PDB file of all heavy atoms in Angstrom:
ATOM      1  N   ASN A 666       2.850  20.076  12.697  1.00  0.00           N
ATOM      2  CA  ASN A 666       4.138  20.499  12.122  1.00  0.00           C
ATOM      3  C   ASN A 666       4.858  19.359  11.398  1.00  0.00           C
ATOM      4  O   ASN A 666       6.027  19.087  11.634  1.00  0.00           O
ATOM      5  CB  ASN A 666       5.063  21.069  13.215  1.00  0.00           C
ATOM      6  CG  ASN A 666       4.433  22.244  13.927  1.00  0.00           C
ATOM      7  OD1 ASN A 666       3.782  23.073  13.295  1.00  0.00           O
ATOM      8  ND2 ASN A 666       4.616  22.300  15.241  1.00  0.00           N
ATOM      9  N   GLN A 667       4.099  18.662  10.560  1.00  0.00           N
ATOM     10  CA  GLN A 667       4.705  17.586   9.781  1.00  0.00           C
ATOM     11  C   GLN A 667       4.547  17.891   8.292  1.00  0.00           C
ATOM     12  O   GLN A 667       3.794  17.236   7.572  1.00  0.00           O
ATOM     13  CB  GLN A 667       4.040  16.238  10.118  1.00  0.00           C
ATOM     14  CG  GLN A 667       4.355  15.731  11.500  1.00  0.00           C
ATOM     15  CD  GLN A 667       5.812  15.323  11.645  1.00  0.00           C
ATOM     16  OE1 GLN A 667       6.497  15.052  10.674  1.00  0.00           O
ATOM     17  NE2 GLN A 667       6.308  15.291  12.868  1.00  0.00           N
ATOM     18  N   PRO A 668       5.255  18.900   7.784  1.00  0.00           N
ATOM     19  CA  PRO A 668       5.141  19.235   6.361  1.00  0.00           C
ATOM     20  C   PRO A 668       5.695  18.117   5.495  1.00  0.00           C
ATOM     21  O   PRO A 668       6.593  17.389   5.895  1.00  0.00           O
ATOM     22  CB  PRO A 668       5.986  20.507   6.227  1.00  0.00           C
ATOM     23  CG  PRO A 668       6.999  20.391   7.335  1.00  0.00           C
ATOM     24  CD  PRO A 668       6.280  19.709   8.463  1.00  0.00           C
ATOM     25  N   GLU A 669       5.149  18.028   4.298  1.00  0.00           N
ATOM     26  CA  GLU A 669       5.600  16.970   3.378  1.00  0.00           C
ATOM     27  C   GLU A 669       7.035  17.232   2.956  1.00  0.00           C
ATOM     28  O   GLU A 669       7.428  18.353   2.659  1.00  0.00           O
ATOM     29  CB  GLU A 669       4.688  16.925   2.143  1.00  0.00           C
ATOM     30  CG  GLU A 669       4.948  15.713   1.265  1.00  0.00           C
ATOM     31  CD  GLU A 669       3.913  15.587   0.176  1.00  0.00           C
ATOM     32  OE1 GLU A 669       3.018  16.441   0.125  1.00  0.00           O
ATOM     33  OE2 GLU A 669       4.006  14.627  -0.621  1.00  0.00           O
ATOM     34  N   SER A 670       7.839  16.205   2.965  1.00  0.00           N
ATOM     35  CA  SER A 670       9.242  16.347   2.604  1.00  0.00           C
ATOM     36  C   SER A 670       9.375  16.817   1.161  1.00  0.00           C
ATOM     37  O   SER A 670       8.643  16.355   0.281  1.00  0.00           O
ATOM     38  CB  SER A 670       9.953  14.994   2.768  1.00  0.00           C
ATOM     39  OG  SER A 670      11.251  15.060   2.223  1.00  0.00           O
ATOM     40  N   PRO A 671      10.316  17.747   0.892  1.00  0.00           N
ATOM     41  CA  PRO A 671      10.511  18.208  -0.480  1.00  0.00           C
ATOM     42  C   PRO A 671      10.970  17.103  -1.412  1.00  0.00           C
ATOM     43  O   PRO A 671      10.869  17.219  -2.629  1.00  0.00           O
ATOM     44  CB  PRO A 671      11.585  19.303  -0.333  1.00  0.00           C
ATOM     45  CG  PRO A 671      12.292  18.982   0.953  1.00  0.00           C
ATOM     46  CD  PRO A 671      11.234  18.405   1.838  1.00  0.00           C
ATOM     47  N   GLN A 672      11.500  16.008  -0.826  1.00  0.00           N
ATOM     48  CA  GLN A 672      11.952  14.879  -1.638  1.00  0.00           C
ATOM     49  C   GLN A 672      10.828  13.885  -1.900  1.00  0.00           C
ATOM     50  O   GLN A 672      11.011  12.928  -2.643  1.00  0.00           O
ATOM     51  CB  GLN A 672      13.112  14.171  -0.937  1.00  0.00           C
ATOM     52  CG  GLN A 672      14.340  15.049  -0.753  1.00  0.00           C
ATOM     53  CD  GLN A 672      15.470  14.317  -0.041  1.00  0.00           C
ATOM     54  OE1 GLN A 672      15.266  13.242   0.514  1.00  0.00           O
ATOM     55  NE2 GLN A 672      16.651  14.896  -0.068  1.00  0.00           N
ATOM     56  N   SER A 673       9.686  14.124  -1.281  1.00  0.00           N
ATOM     57  CA  SER A 673       8.559  13.206  -1.429  1.00  0.00           C
ATOM     58  C   SER A 673       7.715  13.584  -2.639  1.00  0.00           C
ATOM     59  O   SER A 673       7.530  14.763  -2.949  1.00  0.00           O
ATOM     60  CB  SER A 673       7.688  13.246  -0.164  1.00  0.00           C
ATOM     61  OG  SER A 673       6.543  12.447  -0.320  1.00  0.00           O
ATOM     62  N   LEU A 674       7.214  12.598  -3.349  1.00  0.00           N
ATOM     63  CA  LEU A 674       6.335  12.845  -4.482  1.00  0.00           C
ATOM     64  C   LEU A 674       5.000  13.380  -3.998  1.00  0.00           C
ATOM     65  O   LEU A 674       4.512  12.983  -2.938  1.00  0.00           O
ATOM     66  CB  LEU A 674       6.113  11.543  -5.270  1.00  0.00           C
ATOM     67  CG  LEU A 674       7.351  10.914  -5.906  1.00  0.00           C
ATOM     68  CD1 LEU A 674       6.978   9.580  -6.549  1.00  0.00           C
ATOM     69  CD2 LEU A 674       7.961  11.851  -6.951  1.00  0.00           C
ATOM     70  N   GLN A 675       4.396  14.261  -4.773  1.00  0.00           N
ATOM     71  CA  GLN A 675       3.122  14.849  -4.388  1.00  0.00           C
ATOM     72  C   GLN A 675       2.025  13.782  -4.319  1.00  0.00           C
ATOM     73  O   GLN A 675       1.843  13.007  -5.251  1.00  0.00           O
ATOM     74  CB  GLN A 675       2.726  15.938  -5.388  1.00  0.00           C
ATOM     75  CG  GLN A 675       1.459  16.691  -4.991  1.00  0.00           C
ATOM     76  CD  GLN A 675       1.138  17.800  -5.968  1.00  0.00           C
ATOM     77  OE1 GLN A 675       1.738  17.895  -7.036  1.00  0.00           O
ATOM     78  NE2 GLN A 675       0.202  18.657  -5.623  1.00  0.00           N
ATOM     79  N   ASN A 676       1.315  13.751  -3.184  1.00  0.00           N
ATOM     80  CA  ASN A 676       0.211  12.811  -2.962  1.00  0.00           C
ATOM     81  C   ASN A 676       0.646  11.349  -3.054  1.00  0.00           C
ATOM     82  O   ASN A 676      -0.196  10.459  -3.268  1.00  0.00           O
ATOM     83  CB  ASN A 676      -0.932  13.054  -3.958  1.00  0.00           C
ATOM     84  CG  ASN A 676      -1.584  14.407  -3.769  1.00  0.00           C
ATOM     85  OD1 ASN A 676      -1.756  14.859  -2.637  1.00  0.00           O
ATOM     86  ND2 ASN A 676      -1.943  15.059  -4.852  1.00  0.00           N
ATOM     87  N   ALA A 677       1.944  11.097  -2.900  1.00  0.00           N
ATOM     88  CA  ALA A 677       2.438   9.722  -3.028  1.00  0.00           C
ATOM     89  C   ALA A 677       1.814   8.805  -1.979  1.00  0.00           C
ATOM     90  O   ALA A 677       1.439   7.667  -2.285  1.00  0.00           O
ATOM     91  CB  ALA A 677       3.965   9.700  -2.906  1.00  0.00           C
ATOM     92  N   GLY A 678       1.699   9.303  -0.747  1.00  0.00           N
ATOM     93  CA  GLY A 678       1.149   8.478   0.323  1.00  0.00           C
ATOM     94  C   GLY A 678      -0.267   8.019   0.029  1.00  0.00           C
ATOM     95  O   GLY A 678      -0.636   6.866   0.301  1.00  0.00           O
ATOM     96  N   LYS A 679      -1.074   8.915  -0.548  1.00  0.00           N
ATOM     97  CA  LYS A 679      -2.458   8.570  -0.864  1.00  0.00           C
ATOM     98  C   LYS A 679      -2.527   7.450  -1.886  1.00  0.00           C
ATOM     99  O   LYS A 679      -3.275   6.480  -1.722  1.00  0.00           O
ATOM    100  CB  LYS A 679      -3.189   9.811  -1.383  1.00  0.00           C
ATOM    101  CG  LYS A 679      -4.626   9.552  -1.820  1.00  0.00           C
ATOM    102  CD  LYS A 679      -5.315  10.845  -2.223  1.00  0.00           C
ATOM    103  CE  LYS A 679      -4.678  11.435  -3.455  1.00  0.00           C
ATOM    104  NZ  LYS A 679      -5.401  12.659  -3.909  1.00  0.00           N
ATOM    105  N   TYR A 680      -1.723   7.565  -2.935  1.00  0.00           N
ATOM    106  CA  TYR A 680      -1.768   6.556  -3.998  1.00  0.00           C
ATOM    107  C   TYR A 680      -1.112   5.247  -3.573  1.00  0.00           C
ATOM    108  O   TYR A 680      -1.519   4.171  -4.027  1.00  0.00           O
ATOM    109  CB  TYR A 680      -1.112   7.119  -5.260  1.00  0.00           C
ATOM    110  CG  TYR A 680      -1.883   8.280  -5.837  1.00  0.00           C
ATOM    111  CD1 TYR A 680      -1.345   9.565  -5.853  1.00  0.00           C
ATOM    112  CD2 TYR A 680      -3.166   8.092  -6.343  1.00  0.00           C
ATOM    113  CE1 TYR A 680      -2.078  10.637  -6.362  1.00  0.00           C
ATOM    114  CE2 TYR A 680      -3.894   9.146  -6.853  1.00  0.00           C
ATOM    115  CZ  TYR A 680      -3.342  10.424  -6.862  1.00  0.00           C
ATOM    116  OH  TYR A 680      -4.074  11.468  -7.355  1.00  0.00           O
ATOM    117  N   ILE A 681      -0.120   5.324  -2.711  1.00  0.00           N
ATOM    118  CA  ILE A 681       0.466   4.097  -2.157  1.00  0.00           C
ATOM    119  C   ILE A 681      -0.597   3.349  -1.354  1.00  0.00           C
ATOM    120  O   ILE A 681      -0.713   2.121  -1.438  1.00  0.00           O
ATOM    121  CB  ILE A 681       1.689   4.417  -1.280  1.00  0.00           C
ATOM    122  CG1 ILE A 681       2.857   4.896  -2.147  1.00  0.00           C
ATOM    123  CG2 ILE A 681       2.114   3.189  -0.468  1.00  0.00           C
ATOM    124  CD1 ILE A 681       4.048   5.393  -1.356  1.00  0.00           C
ATOM    125  N   GLY A 682      -1.358   4.088  -0.565  1.00  0.00           N
ATOM    126  CA  GLY A 682      -2.421   3.470   0.226  1.00  0.00           C
ATOM    127  C   GLY A 682      -3.464   2.804  -0.651  1.00  0.00           C
ATOM    128  O   GLY A 682      -3.926   1.692  -0.362  1.00  0.00           O
ATOM    129  N   ILE A 683      -3.854   3.465  -1.736  1.00  0.00           N
ATOM    130  CA  ILE A 683      -4.838   2.888  -2.655  1.00  0.00           C
ATOM    131  C   ILE A 683      -4.301   1.608  -3.286  1.00  0.00           C
ATOM    132  O   ILE A 683      -5.000   0.587  -3.348  1.00  0.00           O
ATOM    133  CB  ILE A 683      -5.211   3.907  -3.752  1.00  0.00           C
ATOM    134  CG1 ILE A 683      -5.986   5.076  -3.143  1.00  0.00           C
ATOM    135  CG2 ILE A 683      -6.041   3.238  -4.852  1.00  0.00           C
ATOM    136  CD1 ILE A 683      -6.272   6.189  -4.126  1.00  0.00           C
ATOM    137  N   LEU A 684      -3.052   1.643  -3.727  1.00  0.00           N
ATOM    138  CA  LEU A 684      -2.450   0.467  -4.353  1.00  0.00           C
ATOM    139  C   LEU A 684      -2.345  -0.697  -3.381  1.00  0.00           C
ATOM    140  O   LEU A 684      -2.625  -1.851  -3.741  1.00  0.00           O
ATOM    141  CB  LEU A 684      -1.062   0.824  -4.894  1.00  0.00           C
ATOM    142  CG  LEU A 684      -1.037   1.700  -6.152  1.00  0.00           C
ATOM    143  CD1 LEU A 684       0.390   2.117  -6.481  1.00  0.00           C
ATOM    144  CD2 LEU A 684      -1.647   0.950  -7.337  1.00  0.00           C
ATOM    145  N   GLU A 685      -1.959  -0.412  -2.128  1.00  0.00           N
ATOM    146  CA  GLU A 685      -1.813  -1.502  -1.177  1.00  0.00           C
ATOM    147  C   GLU A 685      -3.168  -2.125  -0.851  1.00  0.00           C
ATOM    148  O   GLU A 685      -3.266  -3.358  -0.700  1.00  0.00           O
ATOM    149  CB  GLU A 685      -1.122  -1.015   0.101  1.00  0.00           C
ATOM    150  CG  GLU A 685      -1.968  -0.184   1.014  1.00  0.00           C
ATOM    151  CD  GLU A 685      -1.224   0.265   2.268  1.00  0.00           C
ATOM    152  OE1 GLU A 685       0.015   0.192   2.280  1.00  0.00           O
ATOM    153  OE2 GLU A 685      -1.898   0.704   3.217  1.00  0.00           O
ATOM    154  N   ARG A 686      -4.216  -1.314  -0.772  1.00  0.00           N
ATOM    155  CA  ARG A 686      -5.547  -1.858  -0.481  1.00  0.00           C
ATOM    156  C   ARG A 686      -6.063  -2.705  -1.641  1.00  0.00           C
ATOM    157  O   ARG A 686      -6.657  -3.768  -1.430  1.00  0.00           O
ATOM    158  CB  ARG A 686      -6.526  -0.724  -0.155  1.00  0.00           C
ATOM    159  CG  ARG A 686      -6.303  -0.098   1.196  1.00  0.00           C
ATOM    160  CD  ARG A 686      -7.449   0.820   1.584  1.00  0.00           C
ATOM    161  NE  ARG A 686      -7.571   1.973   0.704  1.00  0.00           N
ATOM    162  CZ  ARG A 686      -6.905   3.112   0.867  1.00  0.00           C
ATOM    163  NH1 ARG A 686      -6.060   3.238   1.875  1.00  0.00           N
ATOM    164  NH2 ARG A 686      -7.083   4.124   0.045  1.00  0.00           N
ATOM    165  N   VAL A 687      -5.848  -2.247  -2.866  1.00  0.00           N
ATOM    166  CA  VAL A 687      -6.285  -3.014  -4.028  1.00  0.00           C
ATOM    167  C   VAL A 687      -5.510  -4.330  -4.126  1.00  0.00           C
ATOM    168  O   VAL A 687      -6.081  -5.385  -4.431  1.00  0.00           O
ATOM    169  CB  VAL A 687      -6.102  -2.189  -5.318  1.00  0.00           C
ATOM    170  CG1 VAL A 687      -6.382  -3.052  -6.546  1.00  0.00           C
ATOM    171  CG2 VAL A 687      -7.030  -0.981  -5.315  1.00  0.00           C
ATOM    172  N   LEU A 688      -4.215  -4.296  -3.819  1.00  0.00           N
ATOM    173  CA  LEU A 688      -3.419  -5.527  -3.836  1.00  0.00           C
ATOM    174  C   LEU A 688      -3.905  -6.509  -2.775  1.00  0.00           C
ATOM    175  O   LEU A 688      -4.049  -7.709  -3.039  1.00  0.00           O
ATOM    176  CB  LEU A 688      -1.937  -5.191  -3.608  1.00  0.00           C
ATOM    177  CG  LEU A 688      -1.198  -4.554  -4.789  1.00  0.00           C
ATOM    178  CD1 LEU A 688       0.209  -4.151  -4.373  1.00  0.00           C
ATOM    179  CD2 LEU A 688      -1.145  -5.522  -5.974  1.00  0.00           C
ATOM    180  N   ILE A 689      -4.157  -6.002  -1.573  1.00  0.00           N
ATOM    181  CA  ILE A 689      -4.675  -6.862  -0.497  1.00  0.00           C
ATOM    182  C   ILE A 689      -6.008  -7.458  -0.912  1.00  0.00           C
ATOM    183  O   ILE A 689      -6.286  -8.644  -0.681  1.00  0.00           O
ATOM    184  CB  ILE A 689      -4.821  -6.053   0.800  1.00  0.00           C
ATOM    185  CG1 ILE A 689      -3.446  -5.656   1.334  1.00  0.00           C
ATOM    186  CG2 ILE A 689      -5.585  -6.856   1.862  1.00  0.00           C
ATOM    187  CD1 ILE A 689      -3.498  -4.661   2.470  1.00  0.00           C
ATOM    188  N   PHE A 690      -6.848  -6.639  -1.513  1.00  0.00           N
ATOM    189  CA  PHE A 690      -8.159  -7.076  -2.005  1.00  0.00           C
ATOM    190  C   PHE A 690      -8.000  -8.251  -2.970  1.00  0.00           C
ATOM    191  O   PHE A 690      -8.688  -9.275  -2.840  1.00  0.00           O
ATOM    192  CB  PHE A 690      -8.828  -5.877  -2.689  1.00  0.00           C
ATOM    193  CG  PHE A 690     -10.198  -6.148  -3.225  1.00  0.00           C
ATOM    194  CD1 PHE A 690     -11.277  -6.330  -2.375  1.00  0.00           C
ATOM    195  CD2 PHE A 690     -10.425  -6.181  -4.600  1.00  0.00           C
ATOM    196  CE1 PHE A 690     -12.550  -6.560  -2.878  1.00  0.00           C
ATOM    197  CE2 PHE A 690     -11.684  -6.414  -5.101  1.00  0.00           C
ATOM    198  CZ  PHE A 690     -12.757  -6.598  -4.247  1.00  0.00           C
ATOM    199  N   LEU A 691      -7.083  -8.124  -3.908  1.00  0.00           N
ATOM    200  CA  LEU A 691      -6.851  -9.193  -4.880  1.00  0.00           C
ATOM    201  C   LEU A 691      -6.228 -10.428  -4.226  1.00  0.00           C
ATOM    202  O   LEU A 691      -6.581 -11.568  -4.569  1.00  0.00           O
ATOM    203  CB  LEU A 691      -5.939  -8.681  -6.003  1.00  0.00           C
ATOM    204  CG  LEU A 691      -6.517  -7.579  -6.886  1.00  0.00           C
ATOM    205  CD1 LEU A 691      -5.465  -7.098  -7.886  1.00  0.00           C
ATOM    206  CD2 LEU A 691      -7.757  -8.061  -7.620  1.00  0.00           C
ATOM    207  N   PHE A 692      -5.314 -10.210  -3.278  1.00  0.00           N
ATOM    208  CA  PHE A 692      -4.680 -11.340  -2.591  1.00  0.00           C
ATOM    209  C   PHE A 692      -5.715 -12.180  -1.832  1.00  0.00           C
ATOM    210  O   PHE A 692      -5.685 -13.413  -1.875  1.00  0.00           O
ATOM    211  CB  PHE A 692      -3.613 -10.836  -1.614  1.00  0.00           C
ATOM    212  CG  PHE A 692      -2.405 -10.242  -2.278  1.00  0.00           C
ATOM    213  CD1 PHE A 692      -1.639  -9.273  -1.629  1.00  0.00           C
ATOM    214  CD2 PHE A 692      -2.021 -10.646  -3.546  1.00  0.00           C
ATOM    215  CE1 PHE A 692      -0.525  -8.726  -2.237  1.00  0.00           C
ATOM    216  CE2 PHE A 692      -0.899 -10.109  -4.169  1.00  0.00           C
ATOM    217  CZ  PHE A 692      -0.151  -9.137  -3.510  1.00  0.00           C
ATOM    218  N   VAL A 693      -6.622 -11.503  -1.128  1.00  0.00           N
ATOM    219  CA  VAL A 693      -7.633 -12.222  -0.344  1.00  0.00           C
ATOM    220  C   VAL A 693      -8.604 -12.955  -1.270  1.00  0.00           C
ATOM    221  O   VAL A 693      -8.965 -14.121  -1.028  1.00  0.00           O
ATOM    222  CB  VAL A 693      -8.403 -11.254   0.578  1.00  0.00           C
ATOM    223  CG1 VAL A 693      -9.548 -11.972   1.282  1.00  0.00           C
ATOM    224  CG2 VAL A 693      -7.455 -10.641   1.610  1.00  0.00           C
ATOM    225  N   LEU A 694      -9.020 -12.293  -2.351  1.00  0.00           N
ATOM    226  CA  LEU A 694      -9.960 -12.922  -3.282  1.00  0.00           C
ATOM    227  C   LEU A 694      -9.356 -14.150  -3.951  1.00  0.00           C
ATOM    228  O   LEU A 694     -10.076 -15.099  -4.285  1.00  0.00           O
ATOM    229  CB  LEU A 694     -10.394 -11.917  -4.354  1.00  0.00           C
ATOM    230  CG  LEU A 694     -11.307 -10.774  -3.905  1.00  0.00           C
ATOM    231  CD1 LEU A 694     -11.715  -9.922  -5.102  1.00  0.00           C
ATOM    232  CD2 LEU A 694     -12.557 -11.283  -3.196  1.00  0.00           C
ATOM    233  N   THR A 695      -8.047 -14.139  -4.148  1.00  0.00           N
ATOM    234  CA  THR A 695      -7.372 -15.282  -4.777  1.00  0.00           C
ATOM    235  C   THR A 695      -6.789 -16.245  -3.750  1.00  0.00           C
ATOM    236  O   THR A 695      -6.012 -17.135  -4.098  1.00  0.00           O
ATOM    237  CB  THR A 695      -6.249 -14.793  -5.712  1.00  0.00           C
ATOM    238  OG1 THR A 695      -5.346 -13.963  -4.979  1.00  0.00           O
ATOM    239  CG2 THR A 695      -6.840 -14.005  -6.874  1.00  0.00           C
ATOM    240  N   ASN A 696      -7.143 -16.041  -2.486  1.00  0.00           N
ATOM    241  CA  ASN A 696      -6.739 -16.937  -1.395  1.00  0.00           C
ATOM    242  C   ASN A 696      -5.224 -16.988  -1.204  1.00  0.00           C
ATOM    243  O   ASN A 696      -4.636 -18.046  -0.977  1.00  0.00           O
ATOM    244  CB  ASN A 696      -7.282 -18.349  -1.642  1.00  0.00           C
ATOM    245  CG  ASN A 696      -7.299 -19.183  -0.376  1.00  0.00           C
ATOM    246  OD1 ASN A 696      -7.441 -18.648   0.727  1.00  0.00           O
ATOM    247  ND2 ASN A 696      -7.147 -20.490  -0.519  1.00  0.00           N
ATOM    248  N   HIS A 697      -4.584 -15.845  -1.288  1.00  0.00           N
ATOM    249  CA  HIS A 697      -3.140 -15.750  -1.054  1.00  0.00           C
ATOM    250  C   HIS A 697      -2.889 -14.827   0.147  1.00  0.00           C
ATOM    251  O   HIS A 697      -2.346 -13.730   0.005  1.00  0.00           O
ATOM    252  CB  HIS A 697      -2.407 -15.224  -2.294  1.00  0.00           C
ATOM    253  CG  HIS A 697      -2.332 -16.206  -3.409  1.00  0.00           C
ATOM    254  ND1 HIS A 697      -3.303 -16.318  -4.383  1.00  0.00           N
ATOM    255  CD2 HIS A 697      -1.395 -17.154  -3.702  1.00  0.00           C
ATOM    256  CE1 HIS A 697      -2.970 -17.277  -5.229  1.00  0.00           C
ATOM    257  NE2 HIS A 697      -1.819 -17.799  -4.848  1.00  0.00           N
ATOM    258  N   PHE A 698      -3.284 -15.311   1.308  1.00  0.00           N
ATOM    259  CA  PHE A 698      -3.143 -14.511   2.520  1.00  0.00           C
ATOM    260  C   PHE A 698      -1.675 -14.295   2.889  1.00  0.00           C
ATOM    261  O   PHE A 698      -1.333 -13.308   3.543  1.00  0.00           O
ATOM    262  CB  PHE A 698      -3.877 -15.186   3.688  1.00  0.00           C
ATOM    263  CG  PHE A 698      -5.363 -15.017   3.629  1.00  0.00           C
ATOM    264  CD1 PHE A 698      -6.155 -15.962   3.001  1.00  0.00           C
ATOM    265  CD2 PHE A 698      -5.978 -13.916   4.211  1.00  0.00           C
ATOM    266  CE1 PHE A 698      -7.538 -15.817   2.947  1.00  0.00           C
ATOM    267  CE2 PHE A 698      -7.354 -13.759   4.165  1.00  0.00           C
ATOM    268  CZ  PHE A 698      -8.141 -14.708   3.531  1.00  0.00           C
ATOM    269  N   GLU A 699      -0.808 -15.215   2.480  1.00  0.00           N
ATOM    270  CA  GLU A 699       0.602 -15.048   2.798  1.00  0.00           C
ATOM    271  C   GLU A 699       1.177 -13.807   2.118  1.00  0.00           C
ATOM    272  O   GLU A 699       2.103 -13.165   2.631  1.00  0.00           O
ATOM    273  CB  GLU A 699       1.406 -16.292   2.363  1.00  0.00           C
ATOM    274  CG  GLU A 699       1.525 -16.510   0.858  1.00  0.00           C
ATOM    275  CD  GLU A 699       0.292 -17.111   0.215  1.00  0.00           C
ATOM    276  OE1 GLU A 699      -0.676 -17.409   0.945  1.00  0.00           O
ATOM    277  OE2 GLU A 699       0.315 -17.311  -1.018  1.00  0.00           O
ATOM    278  N   ALA A 700       0.600 -13.442   0.968  1.00  0.00           N
ATOM    279  CA  ALA A 700       1.061 -12.250   0.261  1.00  0.00           C
ATOM    280  C   ALA A 700       0.705 -10.980   1.028  1.00  0.00           C
ATOM    281  O   ALA A 700       1.425  -9.983   0.957  1.00  0.00           O
ATOM    282  CB  ALA A 700       0.459 -12.202  -1.147  1.00  0.00           C
ATOM    283  N   VAL A 701      -0.404 -11.026   1.782  1.00  0.00           N
ATOM    284  CA  VAL A 701      -0.789  -9.882   2.608  1.00  0.00           C
ATOM    285  C   VAL A 701       0.256  -9.648   3.690  1.00  0.00           C
ATOM    286  O   VAL A 701       0.672  -8.513   3.949  1.00  0.00           O
ATOM    287  CB  VAL A 701      -2.176 -10.102   3.245  1.00  0.00           C
ATOM    288  CG1 VAL A 701      -2.529  -8.935   4.173  1.00  0.00           C
ATOM    289  CG2 VAL A 701      -3.243 -10.272   2.169  1.00  0.00           C
ATOM    290  N   GLY A 702       0.704 -10.747   4.315  1.00  0.00           N
ATOM    291  CA  GLY A 702       1.741 -10.638   5.331  1.00  0.00           C
ATOM    292  C   GLY A 702       3.048 -10.121   4.743  1.00  0.00           C
ATOM    293  O   GLY A 702       3.738  -9.304   5.364  1.00  0.00           O
ATOM    294  N   PHE A 703       3.369 -10.579   3.539  1.00  0.00           N
ATOM    295  CA  PHE A 703       4.589 -10.107   2.871  1.00  0.00           C
ATOM    296  C   PHE A 703       4.504  -8.615   2.585  1.00  0.00           C
ATOM    297  O   PHE A 703       5.482  -7.872   2.780  1.00  0.00           O
ATOM    298  CB  PHE A 703       4.788 -10.876   1.566  1.00  0.00           C
ATOM    299  CG  PHE A 703       5.930 -10.366   0.726  1.00  0.00           C
ATOM    300  CD1 PHE A 703       7.238 -10.705   1.025  1.00  0.00           C
ATOM    301  CD2 PHE A 703       5.690  -9.526  -0.359  1.00  0.00           C
ATOM    302  CE1 PHE A 703       8.296 -10.225   0.269  1.00  0.00           C
ATOM    303  CE2 PHE A 703       6.742  -9.042  -1.124  1.00  0.00           C
ATOM    304  CZ  PHE A 703       8.049  -9.394  -0.806  1.00  0.00           C
ATOM    305  N   LEU A 704       3.334  -8.155   2.135  1.00  0.00           N
ATOM    306  CA  LEU A 704       3.145  -6.736   1.834  1.00  0.00           C
ATOM    307  C   LEU A 704       3.284  -5.883   3.089  1.00  0.00           C
ATOM    308  O   LEU A 704       3.910  -4.814   3.070  1.00  0.00           O
ATOM    309  CB  LEU A 704       1.769  -6.523   1.199  1.00  0.00           C
ATOM    310  CG  LEU A 704       1.444  -5.105   0.720  1.00  0.00           C
ATOM    311  CD1 LEU A 704       2.427  -4.684  -0.368  1.00  0.00           C
ATOM    312  CD2 LEU A 704       0.009  -5.037   0.191  1.00  0.00           C
ATOM    313  N   LEU A 705       2.701  -6.352   4.194  1.00  0.00           N
ATOM    314  CA  LEU A 705       2.807  -5.630   5.460  1.00  0.00           C
ATOM    315  C   LEU A 705       4.259  -5.564   5.928  1.00  0.00           C
ATOM    316  O   LEU A 705       4.727  -4.509   6.384  1.00  0.00           O
ATOM    317  CB  LEU A 705       1.942  -6.312   6.526  1.00  0.00           C
ATOM    318  CG  LEU A 705       1.958  -5.683   7.923  1.00  0.00           C
ATOM    319  CD1 LEU A 705       1.498  -4.232   7.851  1.00  0.00           C
ATOM    320  CD2 LEU A 705       1.078  -6.489   8.872  1.00  0.00           C
ATOM    321  N   ALA A 706       4.982  -6.683   5.801  1.00  0.00           N
ATOM    322  CA  ALA A 706       6.391  -6.715   6.196  1.00  0.00           C
ATOM    323  C   ALA A 706       7.225  -5.780   5.327  1.00  0.00           C
ATOM    324  O   ALA A 706       8.089  -5.044   5.830  1.00  0.00           O
ATOM    325  CB  ALA A 706       6.924  -8.141   6.102  1.00  0.00           C
ATOM    326  N   ALA A 707       6.972  -5.794   4.026  1.00  0.00           N
ATOM    327  CA  ALA A 707       7.717  -4.943   3.109  1.00  0.00           C
ATOM    328  C   ALA A 707       7.490  -3.472   3.415  1.00  0.00           C
ATOM    329  O   ALA A 707       8.434  -2.668   3.445  1.00  0.00           O
ATOM    330  CB  ALA A 707       7.317  -5.240   1.671  1.00  0.00           C
ATOM    331  N   LYS A 708       6.240  -3.104   3.689  1.00  0.00           N
ATOM    332  CA  LYS A 708       5.939  -1.703   4.010  1.00  0.00           C
ATOM    333  C   LYS A 708       6.606  -1.295   5.313  1.00  0.00           C
ATOM    334  O   LYS A 708       7.112  -0.182   5.445  1.00  0.00           O
ATOM    335  CB  LYS A 708       4.427  -1.491   4.098  1.00  0.00           C
ATOM    336  CG  LYS A 708       4.058  -0.042   4.364  1.00  0.00           C
ATOM    337  CD  LYS A 708       2.562   0.185   4.355  1.00  0.00           C
ATOM    338  CE  LYS A 708       2.252   1.649   4.585  1.00  0.00           C
ATOM    339  NZ  LYS A 708       0.799   1.931   4.570  1.00  0.00           N
ATOM    340  N   SER A 709       6.612  -2.208   6.281  1.00  0.00           N
ATOM    341  CA  SER A 709       7.231  -1.918   7.578  1.00  0.00           C
ATOM    342  C   SER A 709       8.725  -1.666   7.425  1.00  0.00           C
ATOM    343  O   SER A 709       9.285  -0.767   8.058  1.00  0.00           O
ATOM    344  CB  SER A 709       6.989  -3.075   8.545  1.00  0.00           C
ATOM    345  OG  SER A 709       5.602  -3.293   8.737  1.00  0.00           O
TER     346      SER A 709
END
């Protein structure tokens, strides 16, 4: 019983997840692990 909020964009959660994974991927490849922590904190 967790319907998507009418104020929420369609499939927004899916695309947010994809973007965050790609950003983390780039951060790790460029040796910027601190940015991963910042992203996790911002999402929280």
Side-chain angles (χ1 to χ4, degrees):
N666 302 321
Q667 290 292 339
E669 190 172 0
S670 171
Q672 298 179 348
S673 176
L674 297 175
Q675 185 177 10
N676 295 322
K679 177 176 66 176
Y680 295 114
I681 290 173
I683 292 174
L684 287 173
E685 75 180 16
R686 287 191 295 274
V687 172
L688 286 174
I689 292 170
F690 181 71
L691 295 176
F692 291 153
V693 174
L694 290 184
T695 56
N696 199 30
H697 288 89
F698 284 92
E699 69 281 358
V701 177
F703 174 79
L704 184 62
L705 179 58
K708 183 176 182 179
S709 301

